[in-house]
Amino acid sequence: MRAPPSDEESIARFHARAGKMALRDAQDLMAWPFFSLAKSGRIAPIDFRMGEIAIRVEATVEYGMATIWDADILIWATSQIVDARDNGLRTSRTMAATPHEILTFIGRGTSARDYLLLKAALDRLQSTTIATSIRQPTERRMHRFSWINEWKERTDCSGRPLGIELVLPDWFYAGIMADPFVLTIDRAYFDLTGGIERWLYRLVRKHGGRQARGWSFDLRHLHAKSGSLSAYKRFAFEVRSIVRRQSLPGYRLALGLTKAREPLLTFKPCHPDPFTCFGKATAAEDKL
């Protein structure tokens, strides 16, 4: 594990880099319920406890809770910072980029409407507050933060736009600077349209990894971990639909039963390298 960055390193502005790079996601965000899974505005808080893990996510009436689609901006930030770090470049919690650079990276359009939606996402990330015991010495010591401490639009002396500057919270930045807390994800993730579908891919990638035997969860446990406001029956219906479509890139899903006859979701990589096999597996199935 790398040493945490100093305060001086965390203040200097880091300019986003152009070019292709691997997508990275923070494991803590993949494993636990931090975001709304609904496209409609959510105000009701997420209040989650499981063992020593405690998470409280709160939203404002004005902006609503940060969504799993808003979290694409955090995936962009994670990918940029980890790639720069691995190439020996100085990184920072303060990041600068143009809206075009962010939007194209996360697979969005670049129209005026897309720019407005990006700003709305930044507002939700900044106004949503989190309190968690994750990576704290004891459950009683909660770390409180917002996904973005602050953000602003930058201009030059003539008033011409220079892009966006945002400041990431220390909890998030420290996590992605530590090697064990980051995983690569498939770029096809950005093509997933459903909130539960996106959440489930991140959970499957976190727990299934590249293990040949895969992993399993009973559906009631998954429902609790999702933080979703959907009733359990609706949640189970959505998961069954995802299993029928086999829409999670790189993984094969199946439904079974536990010893108590409760629905059980199993998942495993469809190939030793889950990021290259999905298209091949789908093409082979189409021929059957």
Side-chain angles (χ1 to χ4, degrees), residues 114-191:
D114 291 310
Y115 283 23
L116 291 175
L117 291 174
L118 174 63
K119 293 178 184 179
L122 290 168
D123 282 338
R124 284 189 293 272
L125 290 166
Q126 194 276 326
S127 61
T128 298
T129 57
I130 303 94
T132 183
S133 64
I134 295 174
R135 286 190 271 119
Q136 300 306 300
T138 66
E139 183 181 348
R140 293 182 180 180
R141 291 186 60 182
M142 304 286 280
H143 196 130
R144 290 172 173 80
F145 58 93
S146 295
W147 293 119
I148 294 176
N149 285 357
E150 58 182 274
W151 75 275
K152 65 181 180 181
E153 295 178 89
R154 300 171 56 231
T155 59
D156 63 16
C157 57
S158 302
R160 290 179 298 184
L162 294 176
I164 289 172
E165 182 176 296
L166 58 87
V167 181
L168 300 171
D170 179 68
W171 183 90
F172 176 73
Y173 182 69
I176 62 178
M177 287 297 286
D179 290 323
F181 297 144
V182 176
L183 287 176
T184 56
I185 63 172
D186 197 306
R187 185 162 289 277
Y189 168 78
F190 290 140
D191 297 328

Side-chain angles (χ1 to χ4, degrees), residues 43-65:
I43 304 301
I46 296 173
D47 199 352
F48 176 84
R49 289 182 178 272
M50 184 174 290
E52 297 180 353
I53 300 296
I55 298 170
R56 173 80 176 182
V57 184
E58 296 178 319
T60 64
V61 174
E62 181 178 4
Y63 296 110
M65 184 177 293

Side-chain angles (χ1 to χ4, degrees), residues 218-257:
D218 70 74
L219 258 59
R220 291 194 181 276
H221 180 75
L222 280 178
H223 182 239
K225 288 199 73 172
S226 74
S228 172
L229 290 177
S230 297
Y232 170 71
K233 286 187 177 180
R234 179 63 189 179
F235 176 85
F237 173 83
E238 293 284 350
V239 171
R240 291 189 180 98
S241 177
I242 293 168
V243 173
R244 284 195 299 271
R245 298 195 309 272
Q246 292 295 330
S247 57
L248 302 193
Y251 292 92
R252 300 293 300 173
L253 280 65
L255 281 170
L257 293 173

Side-chain angles (χ1 to χ4, degrees), residues 3-19:
S6 67
D7 290 341
E8 182 179 351
E9 289 174 329
S10 299
I11 293 173
R13 183 185 299 145
F14 168 65
H15 291 267
R17 302 166 66 231

